[in-house]
Structures are given as C-alpha cells and as structure tokens.
Amino acid sequence: MGCCYQVSLGGGIVAVAASSFPVNSKLKPFPAFKAELPKPMASDLSPDRSIFHDAVSSSPRRDLVFIVNPRGANGRTGKDWKKLLPYLRSRLDKNCNICESLTSGPYHAIDITREAIREGADAVVAVGGDGTLHEVVNGFFWAGKPVANHNREATRSTALGHIPLGTGSDFARTLGWKNDPREAIDRIAKGLRSPVDVGVITGESEEESHYFINVADIHLSAKAGYFASRYKRFGNLCYVIGALQAFMGHKNQDLRIKVNGGEWETCSLVTALCIGNAKYFGGGMKITPNADPSSGNFEVVILQDFKWYDFILKLHRLYNGTHLSVKNVSSRSVFSIEVEDISGSGSIYVQSDGEHVGFLPRKFCILPSAIQMIC
C-alpha cells in the first residue's frame, strides 16, 4: 500500500504519493549496489511529477530536498522536524525552493536522493541520525559511479547537507557541530561547501559497492552495532545493551589484512577492527581519533586480545580518544585495506555507519573529495 508525503515548493505544499519499501530487514545486510541492477521502483521524484517545475528551473533560487525519517529516534525526529519547519521556512523561503520528503521505510532515502540529483537539486539534506545520513550518502552513487545530473550543462554538483536529529549523530561530532538543528539550518542558508571523502566497501565481487561517510568496523563492535539496532527505543543506552549482548559467546579471531595493496599480514586475536573516515561511532565513542574526512586517508584502529573486563576498565579511554597508547591497540593511516577471516567461517560481522552490511571478506577504499558537503 502506498503512502503520501508532503512536498513544499517555495512555501507551497504539494502532496506526492510515495512508494512502499520493505520495513522488515532483521538479518538482511544493507544492500550492496551492483554494476547491473534491476530497474528501480517508481520513484517519488519521477519526471511526470517532478519536484522542480519548469518555471523554477531558470530561477536563481536554490532547490533543496530535505529527506526526513519521521520514525527516527522512536518518532522524535518527525516531531522535532515539524517544530523546526517554521524556522526553516523563515530562513530559506526567500532564496530556496524547499522539497520535504518523508521516507516510508528502509532504503527509501537512497532512491529519493538519486532522483533529486538527477533532477538537478542544489543540495540533498539528510534530516535525522547517522542512519538517514548513511542512506543519503549511498544515494549519491549508482552502479559504482556518482549519480549524474540529467542536465549535462550543469556547472554545479548536488551538495550533501545534514540536520542532526537522530540517536547518535556521530558524524556531526567529527565536524564539531553542536546538536542544534537551527545552527544546521543557518549553515544550509549560507550554502558554503567543502569536499569530504567517502569510503567504499566491496565484497568478493568487485561489482558490489557500498558506501560510508563515518566509520566501518569489523567483528565485536560490528556485532554490538547489529544488536544495538534492536534497542534504538532506549536512545544511546542501546549501544551498551548491544555491547553486552555481543560479548555473549564472543571469541577473538585471527584476521588477515592487506594495506594499500601490499603484502598480506596476520593480525592475531582481533577483538575489533575499525576503519575511520571520521572520528566517532557508537553514540560518541572516539574510536578513530585521528581520522579526518578531508584527508584522503582512513585511520585504521585494531584492538587485539581484549577481554570483557578490558572494555570496562578502558571504556573511558575509548570514549575520549586516548586509547591509542593502550596495550594491544594499534593505529595506522591507509587509503585501502582488505580484511579476511583466516578461519573462513563467514561469520565475522561487518557494519558501516551503524548499518549491518554482511560478513568478511571485504575491501575498504577511500574516495577522496567524493561529495561536496554544506559545512
């Protein structure tokens, strides 16, 4: 069954039917995007009901698409967004055409983002937490390549914006943003852009690609993130619950890594391996403290032979980013890393930006300055 969402164009409101997307994805990983994919479902922004009218296309006004997950943070995101709309319109209506799109389920934001870019949006703004931002980032790519504006004469690419309203908002922490949505709107009104790097994950088939902007991680932390996603209703406490559940039956594993296309190395008794494009994950844990999303490199942090009591004793250091000097913690700067499970069990969890994406083996590469972000 379809649903409707509201589209606001320069102050006017237009109701647009939204396609239904599956909402039950218990054990399924976030989908990878293959070189050849089936034709997407009828999009919310299809040409016959475009978000941008022809009369507007020649106007200097900026076309902004706000993608909102109304169910984020147990429904708080939708409520906060409604309260924010009057301020947003007061700051943007004079110079912008505003399109408001409410997602109807998982992965919906990906399709909306792609169509907005194809139609020439000046910016697509993720409204919510890291999960919504993650989907929007994946929407900037299709079949292993950046999505292109249908207008080949366009001189300006679509930018990424973010209004943090979710549970974690870890990427915003790296940028030093306060958890203030009005400040985020002020940034969008100014429209200043800065290039940011994006990470891409591929599986055994190089045709499969998955993108992340924050942190990808492997083994215990990824398993904890998988379980934490079940307890989002408890706010940031979900990360503690997820970690406790992940520790049950956990065993450190020997992994094989290849850095920057070099020789294979063995890392024994790995507890967690984190690939940071940005600094924070898990609701404020500064796991890759030297990561910089404009550096052209990841920071890779590996925790080895950690016991459950090590996390209790060193948790404060993981949160404040001083853990790199702790025994059995190593860090390095890389532009690519391949990771394999030596046992070949196929049961080592992988996640990116808090989303479960499958199991090892995986390859992680940096895409320097892949997206222009409104900062």
Side-chain angles (χ1 to χ4, degrees):
M1 181 180 295
C3 62
C4 286
Y5 64 87
Q6 298 293 319
V7 176
S8 171
L9 292 169
I13 301 293
V14 182
V16 181
S19 305
S20 295
F21 280 69
V23 294
N24 185 7
S25 55
K26 292 182 180 178
L27 271 172
K28 295 181 179 179
F30 196 97
F33 306 113
K34 301 182 180 180
E36 292 187 8
L37 293 175
K39 186 177 181 180
M41 300 173 66
S43 170
D44 303 296
L45 308 177
S46 56
D48 60 334
R49 41 191 171 90
S50 170
I51 55 172
F52 309 132
H53 299 308
D54 292 339
V56 174
S57 61
S58 60
S59 167
R61 293 165 63 88
R62 296 162 61 203
D63 294 318
L64 305 179
V65 179
F66 292 83
I67 299 180
V68 187
N69 174 14
R71 288 166 300 283
N74 297 317
R76 194 181 72 240
T77 298
K79 294 176 183 177
D80 290 347
W81 171 247
K82 288 181 180 179
K83 296 176 184 177
L84 198 59
L85 273 173
Y87 182 75
L88 181 142
R89 290 183 176 129
S90 71
R91 292 288 284 117
L92 300 176
D93 259 354
K94 292 181 181 179
N95 302 308
C96 303
N97 301 312
I98 302 169
C99 172
E100 173 197 7
S101 178
L102 307 183
T103 60
S104 61
Y107 321 139
H108 194 180
I110 298 172
D111 275 359
I112 297 171
T113 300
R114 287 176 179 155
E115 197 63 25
I117 294 171
R118 289 169 182 145
E119 292 207 9
D122 185 79
V124 177
V125 182
V127 181
D130 293 309
T132 302
L133 178 63
H134 179 74
E135 287 197 18
V136 170
V137 167
N138 274 271
F140 272 74
F141 302 90
W142 172 261
K145 298 179 181 179
V147 175
N149 185 336
H150 283 323
N151 179 8
R152 296 185 179 182
E153 296 180 0
T155 59
R156 187 172 162 100
S157 63
T158 299
L160 170 67
H162 184 34
I163 298 178
L165 284 180
T167 304
S169 297
D170 282 314
F171 185 73
R173 285 186 175 93
T174 292
L175 300 179
W177 294 351
K178 296 178 182 177
N179 192 22
D180 184 343
R182 293 196 172 207
E183 282 193 9
I185 291 172
D186 292 341
R187 283 192 295 271
I188 293 164
K190 292 176 182 176
L192 300 178
R193 297 177 171 210
S194 181
V196 294
D197 306 333
V198 171
V200 58
I201 306 172
T202 53
E204 292 181 275
S205 169
E206 289 290 332
E207 293 182 350
E208 299 179 0
S209 299
H210 179 86
Y211 302 87
F212 66 100
I213 196 169
N214 197 43
V215 177
D217 53 303
I218 295 166
H219 203 22
L220 179 64
S221 56
K223 192 174 182 180
Y226 171 76
F227 288 124
S229 65
R230 299 178 175 184
Y231 304 104
K232 287 292 183 72
R233 62 186 179 277
F234 297 115
N236 281 348
L237 185 61
C238 71
Y239 302 112
V240 177
I241 300 172
L244 292 173
Q245 192 168 353
F247 264 118
M248 297 175 61
H250 169 77
K251 292 182 180 180
N252 296 325
Q253 295 287 338
D254 295 341
L255 302 181
R256 185 183 295 115
I257 67 171
K258 181 191 288 187
V259 172
N260 299 341
E263 299 296 322
W264 285 101
E265 309 171 30
T266 297
C267 294
S268 60
L269 298 174
V270 173
T271 307
L273 188 154
C274 302
I275 302 111
N277 186 48
K279 301 179 188 297
Y280 298 89
F281 80 160
M285 188 179 293
K286 200 173 185 180
I287 190 66
T288 46
N290 298 317
D292 179 350
S294 61
S295 68
N297 286 290
F298 296 126
E299 181 181 24
V300 172
V301 171
I302 305 176
L303 279 60
Q304 294 174 264
D305 198 22
F306 266 50
K307 308 296 191 296
W308 65 268
Y309 51 81
D310 288 314
F311 281 94
I312 294 175
L313 295 174
K314 299 164 186 174
L315 188 63
H316 67 288
R317 302 197 67 169
L318 290 167
Y319 269 94
N320 63 28
T322 60
H323 56 287
L324 298 186
S325 59
V326 169
K327 182 182 177 182
N328 293 339
V329 178
S330 61
S331 170
R332 63 177 85 184
S333 179
V334 312
F335 58 80
S336 73
I337 181 169
E338 298 177 56
V339 187
E340 295 180 350
D341 171 16
I342 290 178
S343 72
S345 67
S347 61
I348 305 299
Y349 283 69
V350 179
Q351 73 169 357
S352 66
D353 297 347
E355 302 292 333
H356 176 62
V357 296
F359 304 91
L360 291 180
R362 287 291 189 272
K363 181 178 181 179
F364 306 80
C365 297
I366 199 84
L367 301 176
S369 303
I371 292 177
Q372 292 289 319
M373 187 158 196
I374 298 177
C375 295

